[in-house]
Amino acid sequence: MLGMPLSRRLRLISATVAAALLALMATATASAIQPGGITDEARKMNDLFWIVTIAGLVVFVLVGAALVYAMIRYRRQGDELPPQFHGGGKIEVAMVGVPVLIVIALFTISMITLVDIDDPAEEDALTVEITGFQFSWQFSYSMADLGTNTDPNADPEDRINIIGTLQPIDTPDDEIRPVLYLPVDEEVEFILISNDVIHSFYVKDFLYKLDLIPGRVNSFAVTPRVTGDYSAQCAELCGTNHALMRFIVRVVERDEFDAWVAAEAARQLGDDALVSSPGTQGD
Amino acid sequence: MATVAVPQLSGYHRPAVLDWIMTVDHKRLGILYLYFTLFFFAVGGILALLVRTQLAVADNSFVGNDAYNQIFTMHASAMLFLFIIPVWAGFGNYLVPLQIGAADMAFPRINALSFWMLPPAGILMFAGFIVDGGAADGGWTAYSPLAQQTGVGMDMWIIAVIVLGMSSTIGAANFLVTMFRMRAPGMTMFRMPIFCWTMLVTALLQLLATPVLAAALVMLFIDRNYGGQFFDPNGGGNVVLWQNVFWFYSHPAVYIMILPGMGIISEILPVFSRKPLFGYKAFVFATIGIGGLGFSVWAHHMFTTGSVLLPFFGFMTFMIGVPTGVKIFNWLGTLWGGSISFPTPMLFAIGFVSMFLIGGINGTYSAAVPVDFALHDTYFVVAHIHYVLFGGSVFAVFGGLYYWFPKIWGRQLNERLGKLHFALMFVGFNVAFFPMHMLGLDGMPRRIAVYADSAGWEALNMLSTGGAFLIAVSMIPFLIAVVMAFMRPKDQPDDPWEANTLEWATTSPPPDYNFDSLPPVRSERPLFDARHGDEEQGH
């Protein structure tokens, strides 16, 4: 068919394919090294991620190797017809059986993780109401529900609100993004609300997202374990400036959180909003 | 084999253009489908290059946010509704009657109607770019309430998709009747070529699922224009209802988009391995299994809505991996012990197997519900769909074009150019789409027009953009090969590949009404039997 001798051509092709497969495997491994997340829940999900990844890589290497081997070993070497094998009972049972076992195992492990991370929030968890709107976020804290350091005398109507504004497209620096303050090592429950279109509350380092749906209230709880700033953004297409619905999750020590609450309360609610000063109630 | 199945009538000759417009011949309609869909493949590809150019660098302003949303929406709409779904109707139109030994489709005029609904729909959809407010920009998923906010381009998109859906629904009925009623003597259902089987299951899916989409789109249209409030919570409607009905169609649609491609490579692999398809019946049942399970996994697109029965849909989604795994075994088993040669169609078929393997594996991440919480709506999912629909379907389209080109146009595409095309496309594809896995893991959401420099996504995006342009470059040798082929005379024999199925038992290209006589059909490989008689057993 072609000028080049058959065997040379085949060796070239098989080498190319083998190299491509190897390169893919290498990148797959490298890519999988993602940060494990900063919440208890994220770490469990990350474990599951690795189980799926290892199972996937094993399947990929076995099937890929068989494919490359077959292409080299069984390349056409003459006009003689190979045995006309149509398949048979036992092999076809294995064809079904092996995938069934793999998927049932993976499903079972997934469900165990799902149940594990899906615990409802504790009574005393800090609650933050998250409202997505075109095109930013509002983070709302009730003064009567600040988690372990809640002031029992606070007025439940008193809230501090962080309201983001539309970020100009050409502002690369993070300063302009709304910041969601969270105390480290404490469970926090998010109440997700939208009044315009669907948004999705996505914090990469939680390894989690949940949609904000008009007409529906979603919620989930996590316990962040690592202080720091984490960039996050809307994950559901919500219109022209969807890409600019960015925000920062700032996980801080409890006293820093209390100081921030005090400052925001003073700014937003006036000095008398706090019946007693935060930082003294903790026990 | 004689060339003429019916005597030529002398006298009046229609102009060639009218001949094409008024034709009810399944082969000509098939060719029209192929030209139409490949045109929109090019259009969708150009839109993809605009997307990739915009995303190549951080904080880019190559296209604005508004334009970006229109571009990626129309990229997906063109590729899915105007390319992949109808391209199989093109292959099916040309091949199904030939493969089952029939003279035409069961309803030739309905067949022409199916095709001629496409151009107005395509024009209507793309005319959105010139109206006030621009083309549809809510994503091909058109999630409500966002889809309620956009301009008249969205209404044009809705009507276009309804028309396209009607086309594929009546086309599906035509395929089913053709395959059930018009098979050659001796061709039992289990002797039908495997491509026909995949078209049969595809047609069933279209018949059952597409009307659901049409109903949903009509409701969306009423919501937008007449205050229907089906999907508006302020009027008692339900936002998530749209997603349920949309994905009830659109998940089976994923199989509508891939099953015929599986059929095509399952024709190619046995021919160039010189062996029968390994586990023909297992393949058929796996295809039916994928079709059936395909109706019970739709909500895995909605795990993060918080209103999905997670264990059920997680389980069904994993289960669909079983028939998919069976097919991988079918293909490996076909190669195993064969006598394999590697002309261009075979390269694309093997490219399909290897890329679809990755597309299957990276799909399991979304079946594992807690992992999906992290990866949903990120570039990881974009990688997944492209490994399935490009690494799978598009590779099968080109495999099929190289394979049946001698039959359809009577000429061979140049092998060296074909191999160059494959190599560039294979490398370009992986460079374009593999980095998207990493971007998704690193938290890059899909459908964002810009990303900040501080996100650290620039290098991988640049790489991906380079891959996309390499794919575009790979089309150059293909186009040269096509032009070169058309400059040559029609010189192809009936059966240049030593193939198995009936389309190779007539001339290349086949005459009107296809066959003068048919070889006996005693297995799923009548031409193999004719070549080798009883010397080779194994049936």
Side-chain angles (χ1 to χ4, degrees):
Chain A
M1 275 180 291
L2 267 179
M4 206 195 283
L6 192 71
S7 57
R8 222 178 90 203
R9 204 148 42 89
L10 289 170
R11 244 179 284 144
L12 261 175
I13 293 161
S14 46
T16 313
V17 172
L21 291 176
L22 278 176
L24 279 177
M25 276 160 48
T27 19
T29 318
S31 74
I33 299 167
Q34 59 158 350
I38 57 160
T39 64
D40 288 347
E41 294 76 6
R43 286 167 183 174
K44 290 169 189 164
M45 287 188 273
N46 193 48
D47 292 343
L48 178 63
F49 169 86
W50 276 103
I51 292 168
V52 175
T53 300
I54 289 164
L57 279 177
V58 168
V59 170
F60 179 77
V61 169
L62 289 179
V63 176
L67 187 64
V68 173
Y69 175 82
M71 287 167 62
I72 297 168
R73 167 75 178 77
Y74 298 113
R75 66 189 187 274
R76 184 168 180 167
Q77 281 159 331
D79 283 342
E80 199 181 329
L81 212 53
Q84 297 297 298
F85 189 61
H86 286 254
K90 277 184 191 165
I91 301 178
E92 287 183 20
V93 171
M95 276 162 59
V96 180
V98 171
V100 165
L101 291 179
I102 294 173
V103 302
I104 287 183
L106 286 176
F107 170 73
T108 310
I109 298 165
S110 304
M111 282 305 115
I112 292 169
T113 308
L114 182 62
V115 171
D116 212 14
I117 62 174
D118 209 18
D119 278 344
E122 301 289 335
E123 277 287 306
D124 64 346
L126 165 70
T127 307
V128 187
E129 208 176 272
I130 311 273
T131 308
F133 59 90
Q134 290 169 312
F135 295 94
S136 193
W137 303 87
Q138 170 176 306
F139 311 127
S140 178
Y141 302 72
S142 166
M143 294 302 289
D145 189 11
L146 288 171
T148 55
N149 202 20
T150 299
D151 182 345
N153 301 317
D155 181 350
E157 296 293 306
D158 279 345
R159 306 190 71 91
I160 49 177
N161 296 313
I162 306 301
I163 305 174
T165 51
L166 178 61
Q167 300 150 25
I169 193 167
D170 50 359
T171 306
D173 84 290
D174 293 345
E175 289 306 307
I176 202 161
R177 303 180 190 185
V179 178
L180 172 62
Y181 272 82
L182 301 174
V184 72
D185 293 332
E186 290 183 39
E187 190 174 34
V188 51
E189 183 177 27
F190 300 106
I191 310 290
L192 304 179
I193 297 165
S194 170
N195 298 313
D196 45 34
V197 298
I198 304 173
H199 304 277
S200 191
F201 180 78
Y202 175 36
V203 183
K204 180 193 89 182
D205 293 280
F206 291 177
L207 302 189
Y208 196 80
K209 69 178 66 66
L210 192 59
D211 296 349
L212 296 78
I213 297 175
R216 179 184 168 84
V217 177
N218 275 331
S219 65
F220 73 102
V222 294
T223 309
R225 293 294 181 192
V226 188
T227 56
D229 276 10
Y230 306 98
S231 61
Q233 69 186 105
C234 178
E236 180 67 62
L237 176 67
C238 59
T240 307
N241 294 312
H242 162 56
L244 304 180
M245 269 184 77
R246 302 166 183 159
F247 61 103
I248 306 274
V249 175
R250 182 165 294 160
V251 180
V252 295
E253 296 294 341
R254 184 74 207 191
D255 42 355
E256 196 180 329
F257 179 77
D258 288 337
W260 171 80
V261 168
E264 281 299 318
R267 194 170 65 78
Q268 295 187 22
L269 304 167
D271 287 335
D272 52 345
L274 290 174
V275 177
S276 45
S277 78
T280 57
Q281 297 276 326
D283 56 337
Chain B
M1 184 91 19
T3 13
V4 180
V6 284
Q8 289 288 305
L9 298 174
S10 57
Y12 172 66
H13 285 285
R14 272 200 301 244
V17 176
L18 266 186
D19 236 16
W20 279 96
I21 290 175
M22 299 178 71
T23 187
V24 293
D25 173 31
H26 74 98
K27 295 184 292 298
R28 288 197 153 192
L29 286 166
I31 290 170
L32 286 173
Y33 264 106
L34 291 177
Y35 286 150
F36 174 86
T37 51
L38 289 172
F39 171 77
F40 275 101
F41 177 62
V43 172
I46 290 166
L47 293 173
L49 293 180
L50 292 176
V51 166
R52 285 312 325 165
T53 305
Q54 167 65 17
L55 294 178
V57 290
D59 298 311
N60 199 359
S61 54
F62 170 69
V63 294
N65 292 0
D66 258 331
Y68 182 84
N69 289 355
Q70 295 174 36
I71 289 168
F72 81 74
T73 298
M74 295 305 284
H75 159 70
S77 302
M79 287 302 196
L80 303 179
F81 295 127
L82 297 169
F83 168 55
I84 294 186
I85 293 176
V87 83
W88 301 138
F91 279 105
N93 250 297
Y94 199 96
L95 294 168
V96 165
L98 282 165
Q99 287 199 323
I100 63 170
D104 205 315
M105 295 283 281
F107 305 112
R109 284 179 184 78
I110 287 181
N111 201 18
L113 177 63
S114 302
F115 172 74
W116 286 106
M117 290 166 97
L118 300 184
I123 292 166
L124 184 64
M125 193 184 272
F126 272 82
F129 278 116
I130 57 171
V131 300
D132 204 23
D137 60 358
W140 79 280
T141 48
Y143 275 11
S144 189
L146 180 63
Q148 317 266 7
Q149 291 184 346
T150 51
V152 70
M154 188 74 212
D155 290 314
M156 295 158 75
W157 182 91
I158 290 172
I159 294 167
V161 177
I162 291 174
V163 172
L164 293 168
M166 285 159 65
S167 159
S168 71
T169 309
I170 61 176
N174 205 352
F175 278 120
L176 288 174
V177 176
T178 304
M179 279 182 273
F180 284 132
R181 302 298 302 164
M182 297 178 66
R183 297 190 309 279
M187 185 174 285
T188 60
M189 289 304 279
F190 281 116
R191 290 177 188 167
M192 205 162 64
I194 211 75
F195 172 71
C196 290
W197 263 111
T198 57
M199 283 303 294
L200 188 152
V201 175
T202 300
L204 272 175
L205 293 179
Q206 286 176 318
L207 205 57
L208 294 171
T210 315
V212 176
L213 177 70
L217 287 167
V218 169
M219 289 157 85
L220 186 62
F221 191 86
I222 294 171
D223 262 17
R224 283 176 50 86
N225 295 293
Y226 311 111
Q229 301 181 336
F230 291 108
F231 307 120
D232 177 3
N234 298 321
N238 188 323
V239 171
V240 181
L241 174 65
W242 166 262
Q243 299 185 25
N244 275 300
V245 284
F246 177 82
W247 288 113
F248 185 82
Y249 160 78
S250 290
H251 197 80
V254 174
Y255 302 110
I256 290 170
M257 295 170 206
I258 187 82
L259 286 176
M262 294 172 167
I264 285 176
I265 70 148
S266 304
E267 298 284 350
I268 294 172
L269 290 172
V271 168
F272 299 109
S273 305
R274 304 176 76 218
K275 272 181 66 203
L277 180 70
F278 178 82
Y280 170 98
K281 281 193 183 175
F283 190 98
V284 170
F285 288 124
T287 306
I288 296 169
I290 288 179
L293 287 169
F295 277 104
S296 58
V297 299
W298 79 87
H300 71 212
H301 297 272
M302 303 160 52
F303 284 158
T304 64
T305 58
S307 52
V308 168
L309 182 57
L310 298 172
F312 174 78
F313 286 102
F315 182 71
M316 298 313 281
T317 304
F318 270 120
M319 286 311 289
I320 212 157
V322 174
T324 312
V326 169
K327 283 172 188 284
I328 299 268
F329 280 116
N330 287 129
W331 296 324
L332 271 181
T334 304
L335 295 170
W336 209 264
S339 168
I340 306 172
S341 52
F342 296 95
T344 309
M346 187 65 164
L347 294 180
F348 277 100
I350 290 172
F352 177 110
V353 176
S354 55
M355 294 302 98
F356 181 75
L357 173 65
I358 296 176
I361 291 170
N362 63 19
T364 56
Y365 286 80
S366 295
V369 177
V371 177
D372 183 70
F373 289 152
L375 298 180
H376 177 73
D377 268 339
T378 70
Y379 261 83
F380 194 92
V381 177
V382 180
H384 168 63
I385 59 158
H386 285 91
Y387 268 86
V388 174
L389 292 182
F390 196 121
S393 302
V394 177
F395 275 66
V397 167
F398 283 105
L401 282 176
Y402 279 94
Y403 180 61
W404 281 298
F405 202 92
K407 177 55 61 183
I408 299 175
W409 286 283
R411 303 154 168 111
Q412 186 78 262
L413 290 171
N414 182 289
E415 269 293 306
R416 281 171 195 276
L417 287 169
K419 286 183 166 125
L420 179 63
H421 171 201
F422 171 76
L424 289 173
M425 198 161 108
F426 188 82
V427 174
F429 168 77
N430 281 295
V431 173
F433 295 105
F434 203 85
M436 291 183 183
H437 292 108
M438 286 93 109
L439 286 168
L441 292 171
D442 201 27
M444 180 171 170
R446 63 194 292 197
R447 297 173 164 176
I448 54 169
V450 284
Y451 53 91
D453 195 25
S454 56
W457 298 328
E458 193 173 69
L460 287 171
N461 269 300
M462 181 61 92
L463 186 63
S464 172
T465 300
F469 278 91
L470 192 53
I471 294 172
V473 169
S474 79
M475 292 300 140
I476 294 171
F478 172 68
L479 291 175
I480 295 175
V482 169
V483 171
M484 278 171 58
F486 278 121
M487 285 162 60
R488 291 165 49 87
K490 295 181 186 179
D491 61 354
Q492 287 297 301
D494 293 2
D495 183 12
W497 305 115
E498 296 199 344
N500 297 325
T501 40
L502 287 181
E503 75 270 29
W504 306 101
T506 182
T507 53
S508 305
D512 288 346
Y513 305 105
N514 299 341
F515 299 97
D516 281 334
S517 65
L518 285 168
V521 181
R522 300 205 183 91
S523 76
E524 85 277 15
R525 295 190 298 164
L527 264 70
F528 178 90
D529 299 339
R531 269 199 310 278
H532 298 280
D534 293 333
E535 73 192 75
E536 293 294 339
Q537 297 304 314
H539 294 309

